[in-house]
Amino acid sequence: MNNTPAEIKACCADAYGGDAVALLLGESYHPGGPALTRRLAERLRLRSGQQVVDVAAGPGASARLLATDFDVTVDGVDLGEASVDRARKLTDEAGLADRARFHPGDAERVPLPDGEFDAVVCECAFCTFPDKHAAASEFARVLRPGGRVGITDVVVAGAGLPEELTTLTAWVACIADARPLGEYSAILHQAGLRTVHTEQYDDALTRMIDEIDARIRLLRMTAPARLAEAGVDVSAVLHYTTLARKTVQEGQIGYALLIAERPR
Ligand SMILES: C[S@@+](CC[C@H](N)C(=O)[O-])C[C@H]1O[C@@H](n2cnc3c(N)ncnc32)[C@H](O)[C@@H]1O
């Protein structure tokens, strides 16, 4: 794959701002859905009144959940202008605009001040950042001393991935540049963040693949025109989901939660 980092980021942001992803994924754009976001918040020990950054917030489902269920304020950042617009609209409609704000911006240059935040959340996105070291440094920069970062993401086993899962499409689908859990920890460590906890959620990845499969098969029967309008290539998606499911079953990819702390 010979794409530049800028091309990879733009492709990722465009894809997630488009109708095809909304059709295939529904509300939540990460394995484990809102239940895993709640788990992450508990592991971050979020408390009422705290300030949280959601890096790569997408349409903001997690930011709204954290604001309502954990009584925190959230600043969401996403590279996709369409995602930021959608997040603002949905958050306005939910009456949460004073508790969850959204900013266009790159995870590798977060447009927020130093040392003001109690927690950073980054769900199913760290794996897509071409410069993971820069993003990790940004997490550390915006956190106050003692603040925590909570990541959930695709992880790979050492053996590597089948060729077909190393394309730009697979990059956007959070697979091609996923790393072993230990490597995420090492990248965070180099940015001054100490991993304090990890958990494995491989089943959540299988469930998400099954849900995408079920959605697309249903839409193919009930609303083929919507799929066509959104530019979804049904057989290509079904081919990918079959390959991705097999790769999870064979233990080559999984999904993990990681908490790291900025030392006091
Ligand atoms: C799989 S979605 C996850 C969205 C959200 N975190 C969630 O779990 O619902 C990945 C998101 O990362 C965003 N993204 C990709 N690269 C980015 C970057 N360099 N900086 C900020 N956002 C980025 C995409 O626009 C997309 O919204």
Side-chain angles (χ1 to χ4, degrees), residues 9 12-13 16 28-30 54-59 62 77-80 83 105-108 123-125 128-129 174:
K9 286 195 272 193
C12 200
Y16 281 100
S28 181
Y29 285 13
H30 60 264
D54 184 355
V55 175
S62 295
V77 175
D78 201 283
L79 194 60
S83 291
D106 192 332
E108 297 167 12
E123 297 171 293
C124 203
T128 71
F129 304 151
C174 301

Side-chain angles (χ1 to χ4, degrees), residues 150-236:
I151 292 175
T152 66
D153 222 321
V154 178
V155 292
V156 292
L161 293 167
E163 180 96 16
E164 261 191 282
L165 290 181
T166 60
T167 61
L168 184 57
T169 309
W171 193 304
V172 172
C174 301
I175 294 175
D177 200 39
R179 309 287 176 86
L181 185 55
E183 199 173 322
Y184 291 142
S185 241
I187 293 169
L188 293 167
H189 184 76
Q190 283 177 42
L193 297 164
R194 189 175 54 95
T195 298
V196 292
H197 187 76
T198 63
E199 292 170 8
Q200 203 75 27
Y201 287 96
D202 300 347
D203 287 356
L205 197 51
T206 309
R207 275 199 306 279
M208 187 175 195
I209 294 166
D210 289 345
E211 279 162 21
I212 294 172
D213 240 50
R215 269 172 191 275
I216 201 161
R217 288 178 198 281
L218 182 69
L219 286 165
R220 184 169 59 177
M221 284 193 303
T222 58
R226 279 182 76 195
L227 285 174
E229 266 166 40
V232 177
D233 179 342
V234 172
S235 44

